[in-house]
């Protein structure tokens, strides 16, 4: 079950934070990831994730809202979509969502 929450900004827009099982092979199947989405409202934030292939994403309640640091990170990113491994690893930097969803490229033999 995904945990998550949202924060409403003063301009009416929202930042949604959801913790999901990792959809990528490089992160590790047992390592959950925290995904941040900046959108006009909660429904549009979830639609953005579903359009990227994360079909079973739902936000029930507001148990894990984004922290002020997470809100700052997503507001300063041009895409408004970020992820990193579980937030306990605060030293890890935020990554663009495409880094999580793109297939791993095979190493080139030179």
């Amino acid at each position: 079950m995904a945990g998550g929450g949202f924060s409403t900004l003063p301009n009416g827009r929202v930042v949604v934070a959801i913790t999901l099982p990792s959809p990528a092979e490089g992160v590790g199947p047992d390592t959950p990831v925290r995904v941040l989405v900046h959108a006009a409202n909660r429904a549009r934030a979830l639609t953005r994730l579903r359009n990227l292939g994360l079909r079973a994403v739902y936000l029930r309640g507001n148990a894990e809202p984004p922290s002020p640091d997470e809100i700052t990170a997503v507001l300063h990113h041009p895409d408004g979509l970020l992820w990193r491994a579980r937030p306990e690893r605060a030293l890890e930097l935020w990554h663009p969502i495409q880094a999580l969803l793109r297939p791993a490229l095979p190493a080139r033999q030179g």
Side-chain angles (χ1 to χ4, degrees):
M1 172 82 43
F6 66 94
S7 288
T8 305
L9 303 175
N11 63 1
R13 297 180 65 88
V14 298
V15 173
V16 173
I18 298 180
T19 303
L20 303 168
S22 174
E25 295 175 13
V27 177
D30 297 333
T31 305
V33 295
R34 181 85 161 170
V35 179
L36 302 175
V37 184
H38 178 228
N41 56 46
R42 285 179 287 172
R44 287 189 185 216
L46 297 176
T47 300
R48 288 185 74 186
L49 291 174
R50 290 181 188 128
N51 287 343
L52 292 170
L54 301 172
R55 298 285 180 211
V57 176
Y58 296 96
L59 183 62
R60 290 178 171 70
N62 199 15
E64 297 177 25
S67 69
D69 290 338
E70 290 176 329
I71 293 171
T72 301
V74 77
L75 289 178
H76 285 88
H77 192 272
D79 292 338
L81 267 160
L82 299 173
W83 73 275
R84 74 173 172 190
R86 191 71 177 143
E88 289 88 33
R89 296 174 48 188
L91 297 177
E92 181 182 359
L93 298 176
W94 289 97
H95 309 283
I97 195 72
Q98 294 304 323
L100 180 66
L101 301 176
R102 87 172 69 122
L105 298 174
R108 293 181 124 195
Q109 298 292 327

